[in-house]
C-alpha cells in the first residue's frame, strides 16, 4: 500500500490504494452458494484472529486511502450495511482517513440477494449510514435521487460521503495546478514491468 501511494512528494498520494474485500470474504462459488448469497457465520474470535488483522494492518500501517466492502453478509448483515464494522471498527477504532467503496453490485445484493432491505431508498440510507461513501457501479446513480426526495437520505449523509471522497481527491492533488502535482508527469510504462523488475 505504501509503495503504491507514497513517493518523493510527501504532500500528494501517487494513487489511492484500496484494501479489499472487507470482510470475511473467501468464497466465490461452492456447493451452489456464491459470493452474492454467502453469509459468513463467524465468531468474534474468528473475526479478530483471522479476518480483520490484514485489514487493520492495511489501514493503520499502510495508511490506505480506500476500503472496499464485499458482496457477502457476515452473521446476517451485508458487509456494506454493517455499521459496526465499517464505521465502528474501520473509522472509529482504526482511525481510517479515506473513503469506503462498495464492491460492484454489492449494494444491489443487499436488497436483491440478501433481502436485507425492502426498498431502494432504504437500501441507500442503510449503506450510507453504515459508512459507504461511493459505490462501484451505477446503484447510487439510479436510486439516490429518489432516496433524497422521499427523505430516506439526508443532506448531512451526502455531505459526509462527499467529504470522505473529496479529501482523498485533494490528497491526490486533483485540484492542484499541474506544476504542483509531480505524479501527473509520471509515465507508468517507465515504472511498471521494467527490465529490473523482470530480472528480480
Amino acid at each position: 500500500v505504501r509503495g503504491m501511494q507514497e513517493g518523493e512528494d510527501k504532500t500528494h498520494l501517487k494513487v489511492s490504494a484500496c484494501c479489499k474485500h472487507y470482510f470475511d470474504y473467501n468464497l466465490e462459488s461452492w456447493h451452489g452458494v456464491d459470493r452474492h448469497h454467502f453469509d459468513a457465520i463467524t465468531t468474534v474470535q474468528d473475526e479478530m484472529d483471522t479476518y480483520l488483522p490484514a485489514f487493520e494492518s492495511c489501514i493503520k500501517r499502510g495508511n490506505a486511502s480506500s476500503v472496499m466492502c464485499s458482496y457477502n453478509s457476515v452473521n446476517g448483515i451485508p458487509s456494506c450495511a454493517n455499521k459496526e464494522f465499517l464505521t465502528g471498527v474501520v473509522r472509529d477504532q482504526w482511525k481510517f482517513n479515506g473513503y469506503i467503496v462498495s464492491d460492484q453490485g454489492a449494494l444491489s445484493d443487499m436488497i436483491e440477494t440478501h433481502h436485507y432491505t425492502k426498498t431502494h431508498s432504504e437500501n441507500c440510507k442503510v449503506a450510507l449510514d453504515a459508512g459507504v461513501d461511493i459505490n462501484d457501479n451505477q446503484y447510487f446513480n439510479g436510486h439516490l435521487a429518489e432516496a433524497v426526495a422521499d427523505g430516506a437520505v439526508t443532506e448531512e449523509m451526502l455531505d459526509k460521503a462527499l467529504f470522505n471522497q473529496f479529501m482523498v481527491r485533494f490528497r491526490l492533488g486533483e485540484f492542484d495546478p499541474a506544476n504542483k502535482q509531480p505524479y501527473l508527469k509520471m509515465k507508468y510504462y517507465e515504472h511498471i514491468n521494467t527490465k529490473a523488475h523482470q530480472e528480480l
Side-chain angles (χ1 to χ4, degrees):
V1 172
R2 292 175 64 189
M4 293 294 293
Q5 289 191 153
E6 296 174 6
E8 58 277 356
D9 175 18
K10 302 302 181 197
T11 59
H12 295 99
L13 297 174
K14 280 192 286 186
V15 297
S16 175
C18 184
C19 304
K20 60 186 212 172
H21 298 95
Y22 185 74
F23 71 108
D24 288 13
Y25 180 79
N26 58 3
L27 178 93
E28 288 293 316
S29 182
W30 182 70
H31 292 280
V33 178
D34 65 23
R35 61 189 175 173
H36 300 281
H37 297 83
F38 182 58
D39 184 14
I41 305 302
T42 63
T43 65
V44 171
Q45 182 177 353
D46 284 338
E47 290 163 1
M48 298 304 165
D49 289 351
T50 305
Y51 295 105
L52 296 180
F55 291 99
E56 181 178 15
S57 180
C58 187
I59 291 166
K60 289 168 79 172
R61 293 179 62 212
N63 200 27
S65 56
S66 177
V67 170
M68 179 179 282
C69 52
S70 56
Y71 293 110
N72 62 293
S73 288
V74 178
N75 296 327
I77 303 172
S79 294
C80 294
N82 200 319
K83 188 172 185 173
E84 177 185 358
F85 284 92
L86 292 181
T87 297
V89 174
V90 171
R91 289 206 186 276
D92 296 343
Q93 286 182 30
W94 296 343
K95 307 302 181 203
F96 174 62
N97 179 25
Y99 64 93
I100 296 175
V101 59
S102 71
D103 205 340
Q104 187 169 359
L107 297 189
S108 297
D109 287 351
M110 285 169 50
I111 190 170
E112 294 170 10
T113 60
H114 297 297
H115 308 291
Y116 190 72
T117 55
K118 304 246 185 288
T119 67
H120 292 295
S121 290
E122 178 192 11
N123 209 44
C124 290
K125 175 186 177 180
V126 167
L128 287 166
D129 186 56
V132 174
D133 299 307
I134 190 170
N135 71 299
D136 190 21
N137 68 1
Q138 299 298 311
Y139 190 85
F140 278 157
N141 286 351
H143 303 291
L144 202 49
E146 177 187 344
V148 170
D150 67 22
V153 169
T154 65
E155 188 175 323
E156 180 183 41
M157 294 167 84
L158 296 176
D159 287 346
K160 188 159 76 170
L162 287 169
F163 177 86
N164 293 329
Q165 294 171 51
F166 274 84
M167 285 307 293
V168 173
R169 293 184 70 187
F170 280 114
R171 290 167 62 198
L172 286 163
E174 290 183 7
F175 304 103
D176 292 347
N179 64 341
K180 301 284 187 195
Q181 215 300 26
Y183 301 124
L184 290 176
K185 300 176 190 92
M186 283 184 78
K187 296 176 177 71
Y188 72 90
Y189 52 83
E190 293 177 356
H191 302 278
I192 297 173
N193 197 25
T194 64
K195 185 171 183 190
H197 292 149
Q198 293 171 10
E199 289 172 358
L200 183 62

